[in-house]
Amino acid sequence: MDQKIIDCFTHSIKAKLLLELNATGTATAKQLAEVYSDIPQATLYRYLKRMTNDGILKIVEQTQIRGTIEKTYAVAIDLSTMGQGLEGEQAGDVYMQMFIQYVAGFIKQFQTYCKQPDIDIPKDMSGFSLAPIYATDEELTAAMEQYVNFIQPLYQNRPAPGRKSRTIGLIISPPESYND
C-alpha cells in the first residue's frame, strides 16, 4: 500500500476530505469548505493541492467563474482495493506499517492537545481504555455491526455551533493464543 495513501487515512484533515469526496463523488473546494467550516480555507486548498499532486485526488472539471477557475475534485484511487496488500508474504509487514501510522496519528493528536495550557481532560471528554473480551467470530461480527450502526449518525454530522471535532478509534487486537 502506498505511503501517501496511508498518510491520508492517518491525517485528520486529509481523511475528512478523502472520505467526503469518496461519499459524494465530486466536490469543489467551496463545497468542501461549506461542509468543513472548521478547516481554514488556506489549509483546505493546500491539502487539496497536495493530495492531487500525490495522485490521490484528481481534477475532473474546471469552470471559469469571474476571474478565477473553480476546480471540481474526485478520488483518483480505488478505495475498494485498500485491503489487497494484506495477503501473502508481505501481509504482516504492510499490516504493521498501517497500524503504526494509525497509532502515530492518535499520538500526534494527543501530543498537540497535551501541550496546550489549561487542558481539562474530563471537560474535553478525552480518554482511552482497553476491554479484554472473549467472543466467537460471530459475536465479534455482531458487535462490530452494532458499533457501525451506533457511530454512523455521528459520522454524518457536519460542523455546527456546539459540535467539536473528535476522532474515535477502534482497535481489535489479533486473537491471543495461550498455552494452557
Side-chain angles (χ1 to χ4, degrees), residues 4 8 11 14 43-57 73:
K4 292 175 182 177
C8 274
H11 187 281
K14 289 179 182 180
T43 301
L44 177 88
Y45 279 99
R46 182 173 58 251
Y47 284 118
L48 287 172
K49 182 177 181 178
R50 187 172 301 155
M51 292 168 71
T52 302
N53 290 343
D54 289 344
I56 294 163
L57 300 180
Y73 297 89

Side-chain angles (χ1 to χ4, degrees), residues 151-164:
I151 208 73
Q152 190 65 29
L154 294 175
Y155 179 72
Q156 300 296 329
N157 285 347
R158 297 295 180 225
R163 285 192 177 142
K164 298 173 186 171

Side-chain angles (χ1 to χ4, degrees), residues 1-3 5-7 10 81-103:
M1 183 175 299
D2 188 317
Q3 183 63 40
I5 297 169
I6 293 172
D7 289 344
T10 58
T81 63
M82 293 303 295
Q84 288 184 350
L86 299 177
E87 297 174 357
E89 254 179 63
Q90 300 299 317
D93 292 339
V94 172
Y95 193 50
M96 189 65 207
Q97 181 183 15
M98 290 172 66
F99 182 72
I100 289 170
Q101 289 287 333
Y102 173 86
V103 172

Side-chain angles (χ1 to χ4, degrees), residues 22-118:
N22 189 57
T24 60
T26 62
T28 64
K30 181 180 177 185
Q31 291 167 328
L32 291 167
E34 289 170 1
V35 171
Y36 295 112
S37 59
D38 58 327
I39 300 175
Q41 188 174 9
T43 301
L44 177 88
Y45 279 99
R46 182 173 58 251
Y47 284 118
L48 287 172
K49 182 177 181 178
R50 187 172 301 155
M51 292 168 71
T52 302
N53 290 343
D54 289 344
I56 294 163
L57 300 180
K58 61 185 174 184
I59 298 168
V60 294
E61 186 179 343
Q62 296 188 57
T63 308
Q64 182 78 31
I65 298 181
R66 287 171 243 157
T68 186
I69 295 179
E70 181 180 63
K71 298 174 183 174
T72 302
Y73 297 89
V75 178
I77 57 175
D78 184 359
L79 295 179
S80 67
T81 63
M82 293 303 295
Q84 288 184 350
L86 299 177
E87 297 174 357
E89 254 179 63
Q90 300 299 317
D93 292 339
V94 172
Y95 193 50
M96 189 65 207
Q97 181 183 15
M98 290 172 66
F99 182 72
I100 289 170
Q101 289 287 333
Y102 173 86
V103 172
F106 271 112
I107 290 170
K108 184 176 179 182
Q109 288 180 354
F110 273 76
Q111 184 180 39
T112 300
Y113 171 76
C114 291
K115 285 183 177 181
Q116 296 177 32
D118 304 321

